[in-house]
Amino acid sequence: MATTRETASRTASSTTEPLDEPVDTRLRLAVGVITIGIGFFAIAMPLVTGVLVSVWLGLLLIVVGIVRTEALKHRSDVRFGSVAAEVLRASLYVVVGLILLLLPLEPSRLSLVLAIPVVIDGIGFLSRAARVETGPWRSALVGVALVCISVLLVVGWPGSTAVLLGGLFGGGLVLVGAVAVLSSVSSELQ
């Protein structure tokens, strides 16, 4: 007959092994929630005018890049191409953030710089849609939406304002974060 300690030890060891997948799911959920929060923050921040918009967006981009890089440590998909693409996207967020911190830009140039990580994320979602067998329409839809947002960022709007730029860019971040949250919740339910 097993003692209570032996039973507890076996139970603990059997429950720690399968937690690898939920950790990945929880991390995806956390990355999604953080990205959504930063997206809403980016939408709200352009109400502050001038150079501060560029500096704040730069800080937000650096945070998103760092969070995405940190999430790579816990990925279950370790294929070289997938990891390399995510490293590229996370690095691009950090580089664009540093550019905005070091060289604050006026709204017309700011929109071009902000379009870069959004279009790269959109292309990433479109390429994922071409690779996955189940549910490719979700990735394709998000990819198309992000590419459209990047086009809207690049279009020369009459009287292009920081509010419009922050709203479009923040909307793109909210979309990327929502996909991460939804994918973690759906994998948790399965």
Side-chain angles (χ1 to χ4, degrees):
M1 187 148 211
T3 65
T4 309
R5 283 186 184 171
E6 290 171 354
T7 306
S9 174
R10 275 186 289 203
T11 304
S13 67
S14 67
T15 58
T16 56
E17 292 170 10
L19 285 180
D20 290 340
E21 188 60 35
V23 168
D24 184 46
T25 303
R26 286 181 286 202
L27 184 63
R28 247 188 321 196
L29 178 65
V31 168
V33 169
I34 289 169
T35 304
I36 289 171
I38 291 173
F40 281 125
F41 192 67
I43 291 169
M45 276 313 293
L47 298 176
V48 178
T49 58
V51 175
L52 285 178
V53 172
S54 183
V55 171
W56 276 109
L57 287 175
L59 287 172
L60 294 174
L61 285 172
I62 291 170
V63 169
V64 169
I66 291 170
V67 168
R68 289 177 85 160
T69 303
E70 184 63 28
L72 279 173
K73 293 179 183 177
H74 306 284
R75 273 182 83 138
S76 58
D77 182 10
V78 292
R79 290 177 303 172
F80 176 76
S82 176
V83 172
E86 186 59 27
V87 167
L88 173 68
R89 288 192 295 265
S91 300
L92 194 59
Y93 272 91
V94 172
V95 167
V96 170
L98 288 172
I99 288 171
L100 293 177
L101 276 176
L102 300 175
L103 305 167
L105 305 169
E106 72 272 353
S108 63
R109 289 189 182 159
L110 180 63
S111 64
L112 292 173
V113 172
L114 291 177
I116 294 168
V118 175
V119 77
I120 295 297
D121 266 340
I123 292 168
F125 276 102
L126 289 172
S127 69
R128 185 178 309 144
R131 287 191 323 261
V132 297
E133 295 174 10
T134 58
W137 60 271
R138 284 186 285 179
S139 290
L141 187 62
V142 172
V144 168
L146 289 173
V147 169
C148 288
I149 288 171
S150 67
V151 168
L152 289 173
L153 281 168
V154 174
V155 169
W157 294 90
S160 195
T161 66
V163 174
L164 177 67
L165 296 177
L168 287 171
F169 181 70
L173 285 179
V174 169
L175 183 60
V176 169
V179 168
V181 168
L182 290 175
S183 79
S184 70
V185 168
S186 69
S187 66
E188 188 71 30
L189 294 175
Q190 293 175 357

